[in-house]
Amino acid sequence: MRALSEQDIRTSFVNCSKGEAKRLPLPRDMEELPWDDLDFLGWRDLSAPDRSYIVTERRGELVGITLRFPSQSRGFLHRSMCSVCLTTHPGNGVSLMTARKRGQAGRDGNSVGIYICTDLDCSLYVRGKKLPASGRRFEESLTVEEQIGRTRDKLAAFLDTLSA
Ligand SMILES: [Zn+2]
């Protein structure tokens, strides 16, 4: 994805208030992020450890979402495979994160969940730029390009459920 500015990120959020989007902490060292290798930008909120954020492009527009995840004791070991990049992780490498739906449905308290790499580095796992703690990712018959396409499709499908 293209390198984003602070303004790009703050105006992309679709499932939180404008005030929240203005205050949330941005990823560190943004100039140094491997933008060319990212299908989406994902980061944890270091001041609120149950929160994380994802910004990606969808149909030519930036879409940012805020996510929450339960304490590790509850989320622990429910599933070890990320549903976005299909990387298997030991321990708490995968978390069930929930995102508030867009619009009124979200304000009414409705949310949807997704099992995703806790560090949100799916893009890097798919490209072999980062390895899970187990030291290897399972062999896939798909090419890296195909896996990248699948990763984007999976995330897009999740984003669609926020407005469904
Ligand atoms: Zn993943």
Side-chain angles (χ1 to χ4, degrees):
M1 66 188 293
R2 67 182 172 89
L4 303 180
S5 67
E6 167 169 0
Q7 175 76 0
D8 290 333
I9 293 174
R10 294 207 185 279
T11 54
S12 72
F13 283 89
V14 298
N15 71 338
C16 68
S17 70
K18 286 206 170 72
E20 205 180 328
K22 207 183 282 180
R23 288 188 305 270
L24 59 84
L26 295 177
R28 288 192 196 171
D29 303 324
M30 276 180 36
E31 311 74 38
E32 288 157 39
L33 290 173
W35 293 101
D36 290 344
D37 286 330
L38 297 181
D39 303 308
F40 65 89
L41 175 64
W43 71 103
R44 302 274 299 270
D45 187 333
L46 299 175
S47 61
D50 66 335
R51 284 174 181 240
S52 57
Y53 310 98
I54 286 177
V55 176
T56 191
E57 279 163 335
R58 179 85 177 110
R59 298 193 185 99
E61 285 182 16
L62 286 176
V63 179
I65 58 170
T66 64
L67 298 138
R68 285 176 172 274
F69 53 108
S71 67
Q72 293 188 344
S73 55
R74 275 188 291 150
F76 197 47
L77 287 182
H78 279 188
R79 192 187 288 189
S80 59
M81 185 186 278
C82 171
S83 65
V84 175
C85 67
L86 307 194
T87 300
T88 303
H89 292 277
N92 54 10
V94 173
S95 295
L96 173 60
M97 301 196 186
T98 59
R100 214 165 67 177
K101 289 188 133 192
R102 300 172 76 146
Q104 191 58 44
R107 289 191 286 277
D108 290 343
N110 296 296
S111 61
V112 282
I114 186 170
Y115 284 94
I116 190 168
C117 294
T118 306
D119 58 14
L120 299 165
D121 281 335
C122 302
S123 312
L124 302 182
Y125 290 121
V126 163
R127 288 165 178 76
K129 307 254 173 176
K130 186 171 181 179
L131 288 172
S134 58
R136 61 190 173 87
R137 205 166 164 267
F138 71 96
E139 297 278 324
E140 289 215 50
S141 52
L142 299 183
T143 65
V144 170
E145 281 305 315
E146 288 168 335
Q147 293 180 55
I148 290 169
R150 181 185 61 200
T151 299
R152 293 180 177 176
D153 288 348
K154 298 259 185 201
L155 184 62
F158 175 67
L159 293 176
D160 287 348
T161 65
L162 295 189
S163 30

